Structure formats: structure tokens, C-alpha cells
Amino acid sequence: MLTRIDHIGIACHDLDATVEFYRATYGFEVFHTEVNEEQGVREAMLKINETSDGGASYLQLLEPTREDSAVGKWLAKNGEGVHHIAFGAADVDGDSEEIRGKGVRVLYDEPRRGSMGSRITFLHPKDCHGVLTELVTSAPVESPEH
């Protein structure tokens, strides 16, 4: 089922300044950036380490691109800080259905596109002891062309 901590999502007001803090303080470098229009965020993934299942663990820094996005609303209410934890899932569809069967509310009927081409869904924080929880199935890694 769940294979690793995929990432910890951190909401911030200024993505560039937050990236610089993590770079200057801890030496973390940006692995990937993108704007997710559907979720209304600009994000940077900072790779922390490789994992035994072939994936990696990241910090995901999230800056809202609009105030009405989920991260924008959360940031206005709570300020900067940890927004969610994401677990790697071998099969986000099957794993989320199994978890739903245990009485945990799954926020999306069908998984959506996440960072770096992944498939994601979220679990309701009230059912997860106050923690917004994301399930992530990473996009297949393409083999390099020779």
C-alpha cells in the first residue's frame, strides 16, 4: 500500500524567498518547479533523498496563484507552515478506495494530476487526526535514450 513519505507540503507567501531560505540554510536545491493552474499554486520540489522503492522524498513549497485556491485560503487562515503530508502509494486508485472502505473521507472521486505528472488524491484532515494527507502515485520514470 503506502511506500514512503513522498513529500511534506509547505505553504508560503513568497516561493522565491522560501526556496532561498531552504537553499541557504540546509543546502536543498530545487529539483522541479511548475504552476498547477487547477490547484492554483506555483510550486517548487526540493529533493531530500532517494528512497528504496526507486522514488524520492521532497519538500514541496507552495505559493498560491490566486486567493480562492485551497492553499490561498489555508494560508490566509493559518499563515505559512506545514500544509500537508504526502505518502507514496503504489496504486492511488486502489489504495484510496481501500482507505475509503475504512471510513476515511477521500476528497476527490477520481485522482487528479499532481506534481511531475503524478496522480494524487487527498484524505480529509478531520479523519486523519487533523492532518491533511495526500496519496501520490509517481509518474513512471522514463528510461534515458541511448
Side-chain angles (χ1 to χ4, degrees):
M1 186 195 246
L2 304 181
T3 60
R4 69 184 181 285
I5 294 175
D6 185 85
H7 66 270
I8 302 199
I10 299 172
C12 61
H13 292 291
D14 183 334
L15 184 65
D16 297 326
T18 307
V19 164
E20 178 55 24
F21 168 80
Y22 281 96
R23 189 203 60 71
T25 306
Y26 306 116
F28 298 153
E29 295 295 336
V30 173
F31 178 79
H32 176 82
T33 60
E34 71 180 84
V35 174
N36 186 319
E37 295 294 344
E38 180 184 0
Q39 294 182 22
V41 295
R42 184 168 78 104
E43 66 179 80
M45 297 293 274
L46 285 60
K47 189 177 204 176
I48 307 305
N49 67 312
E50 303 289 333
T51 61
S52 62
D53 68 355
S57 292
Y58 303 90
L59 286 180
Q60 179 186 45
L61 306 179
L62 300 160
E63 175 189 70
T65 58
R66 49 179 209 270
E67 291 179 12
D68 69 339
S69 70
V71 172
K73 291 175 185 176
W74 188 92
L75 198 55
K77 181 179 177 184
N78 300 292
E80 293 184 309
V82 174
H83 179 261
H84 67 275
I85 187 167
F87 294 107
D91 172 18
V92 70
D93 298 272
D95 292 342
S96 63
E97 284 306 311
E98 184 176 335
I99 291 169
R100 185 189 317 263
K102 295 176 181 179
V104 175
R105 287 174 282 180
V106 178
L107 298 183
Y108 302 153
D109 290 331
E110 295 290 326
R112 297 182 182 178
R113 183 195 169 284
S115 300
M116 301 183 289
S118 63
R119 298 189 72 238
I120 65 166
T121 196
F122 285 90
L123 309 178
H124 201 291
K126 288 185 179 177
D127 297 342
C128 300
H129 297 271
V131 178
L132 179 61
T133 303
E134 182 179 6
L135 304 180
V136 178
T137 297
S138 300
V141 177
E142 295 181 24
S143 59
E145 295 181 342
H146 299 286

